[in-house]
Amino acid sequence: MMIQILPEAVQCNIKVSSQEELFDVMSTSLVKAGKVKPDFSCHVLDREQRFPTGLPFDSFGAAIPHTDPENVISPSIAVATLQDPVDFQVMGSPELNVAVSLVFMLALDDGHAHIKFLQQVVKLAQDKEKVSELFSAKSDRDLFQSVKRFLEIEE
């Protein structure tokens, strides 16, 4: 499966105040590009409430929100760093919260590729130098170039 990342789906230092707003902002470019169905963000929010994706790391929190394959037209991802963290419940421990500053929204239509890509994202998030570069990005384009290089995905 070919996973695509569009430059317009990568946003640096965005300001949002809730998961709902975050998912709306992040999914907009995927909807406009025809990668996901128009109600994709609603499905992501619903799934996030049932199956949280927050991941605590040493100095930051990350999240990997996604939804079911039937809401995906063509495999893609959206990535954002957040100006102010947004609370997510921790994956596997929903009674705990994590302040999330790095988000990888997955729009994947294959379960096996989904697991493999989650592993790539977790490996990236555990690399302090690479994470530092992501958070140091000064523009959407800089962040896009770093993500594309680190995850080795197509433009």
Side-chain angles (χ1 to χ4, degrees), residues 20-36:
E20 184 174 6
E21 183 181 10
L22 172 64
F23 298 161
D24 285 346
V25 168
M26 290 185 74
S27 66
T28 297
S29 59
L30 298 177
V31 171
K32 284 182 182 175
K35 300 292 182 186
V36 298

Side-chain angles (χ1 to χ4, degrees), residues 142-153:
D142 288 346
L143 182 60
F144 167 74
Q145 292 295 349
S146 294
V147 169
K148 192 175 108 174
R149 185 173 73 252
F150 296 156
L151 296 178
E152 301 173 2
I153 49 182

Side-chain angles (χ1 to χ4, degrees), residues 10-12 79-81 134 137 139-147:
V10 179
Q11 299 171 296
C12 176
V79 180
T81 56
L134 296 179
S139 69
D140 294 352
R141 187 74 190 169
D142 288 346
L143 182 60
F144 167 74
Q145 292 295 349
S146 294
V147 169

Side-chain angles (χ1 to χ4, degrees), residues 5-154:
I5 184 168
L6 306 169
E8 60 271 23
V10 179
Q11 299 171 296
C12 176
N13 209 28
I14 62 173
K15 185 161 182 60
V16 294
S17 58
S18 68
Q19 286 183 12
E20 184 174 6
E21 183 181 10
L22 172 64
F23 298 161
D24 285 346
V25 168
M26 290 185 74
S27 66
T28 297
S29 59
L30 298 177
V31 171
K32 284 182 182 175
K35 300 292 182 186
V36 298
K37 294 182 178 176
D39 58 353
F40 182 77
S41 68
C42 295
H43 292 284
V44 172
L45 182 63
D46 180 58
R47 190 188 185 289
E48 186 68 33
Q49 290 169 346
R50 292 180 291 120
F51 304 104
T53 64
L55 297 168
F57 291 95
D58 286 346
S59 59
F60 70 100
I64 311 171
H66 53 281
T67 191
D68 300 318
E70 60 264 16
N71 299 296
V72 175
I73 297 167
S74 178
S76 189
I77 67 166
V79 180
T81 56
L82 308 184
Q83 187 174 4
D84 300 307
V86 170
D87 278 345
F88 276 70
Q89 291 175 298
V90 173
M91 184 185 298
S93 298
E95 69 282 3
L96 302 175
N97 284 343
V98 59
V100 167
S101 302
L102 177 62
V103 182
F104 293 86
M105 178 180 278
L106 309 183
L108 305 179
D109 60 0
D110 173 299
H112 177 70
H114 183 94
I115 298 297
K116 186 176 179 201
F117 195 77
L118 282 173
Q119 291 169 338
Q120 278 185 276
V121 170
V122 169
K123 185 176 179 185
L124 168 60
Q126 292 171 329
D127 186 318
K128 290 180 182 174
E129 286 183 26
K130 290 179 179 178
V131 168
S132 177
E133 184 175 325
L134 296 179
F135 283 124
S136 297
K138 301 286 187 227
S139 69
D140 294 352
R141 187 74 190 169
D142 288 346
L143 182 60
F144 167 74
Q145 292 295 349
S146 294
V147 169
K148 192 175 108 174
R149 185 173 73 252
F150 296 156
L151 296 178
E152 301 173 2
I153 49 182
E154 298 295 317

